[in-house]
Amino acid sequence: MILKLLAQNRFPAIWLPSKELLDLRALLLHRHQWVRMRVRMQNALQAIALANGLRRGPALWSYDGQAKIAFLPLLPHAAYRRSALQSMYKNMQSEIENLTRRVAEQAGNRCGARLLMTHPGVGPVTALATEVFLGDPQRFTDSKTLASYVGIIPREYSSGEHQRLGGVTKQGSPLLRFLWGEAGAHAARRDPELKRFYRRKLVQKGLGKARVAVARKLGIRLWIMLRDEIDYQEFCRRGQIQQKTVRPVVGMPETGNGAKSHRQSDEATRLPES
């Protein structure tokens, strides 16, 4: 079969990222690793502060908060550990800021990332990661293909006529899923449509599934913006036009074959999930 496909020039092509995209992926992964190490340092310093009665919350990472940790009366070994953690935290903070500036510079130089940053809640890191990890947006036929590629569709354990769904597959890029989840939480506060969608899913499915649903919806939005090369304003304008197109005529009852044909026409004209 493989020989026949090769002879007939029908062998399916596989998309491979270019060296430039691989280099940008390395930059994003390197920054993400430093951020994870900084979180571990923060957790250790916060444990020291809480054990000694210092409760500052987010203010613990300010200049005043770090000074209060430095002046805590500790035994010699604990004091040495505190000093080492604070020194490493300071170095990591400066290195992460440097990497963030490099990511922002690369995102500003790419047209697709600039378009994605017009969406509320999407910053340079998420925009660049979406463009770099998705690659050519035209290779995805629909939103379901995109969600399957990223790994935010449920697993299926079906037998015969019984369909059972599990958790998300997580088969794609873990970094891209993480960034879409973080950006989705911010976008749900600023975008009215995403806010309504998140509140509805929160009541129906609970917190965890609602966050995954918002992340998936945001990722599909970003893919559509990349595919059509449009910004957030144009995306919203097309959505408003689509809503007016699929809205049923007031006063016309939908019964029988007429209702069925009307629903079929709506499905035929509906854009991919956005």
Side-chain angles (χ1 to χ4, degrees), residues 4 8 16 25 43 59 79 109 112 135 149 152-153 172 176 180 195 203 226 250 255 257 262 264 267 270:
K4 183 178 180 181
Q8 298 177 357
L16 292 176
R25 289 183 180 184
N43 291 338
N109 294 333
Y149 177 79
I152 48 178
I153 60 171
L176 187 58
W180 280 4
K195 180 182 291 186
V203 174
L226 271 180
V250 178
T255 57
N257 296 331
H262 182 70
Q264 290 176 349
E267 294 176 357
R270 187 175 295 118

Side-chain angles (χ1 to χ4, degrees), residues 1 5 37 67 73 77 122 124 191 201 210 256:
M1 181 178 292
L5 291 174
M37 289 189 291
H77 295 301
V122 177
D191 183 84
K201 291 299 178 181

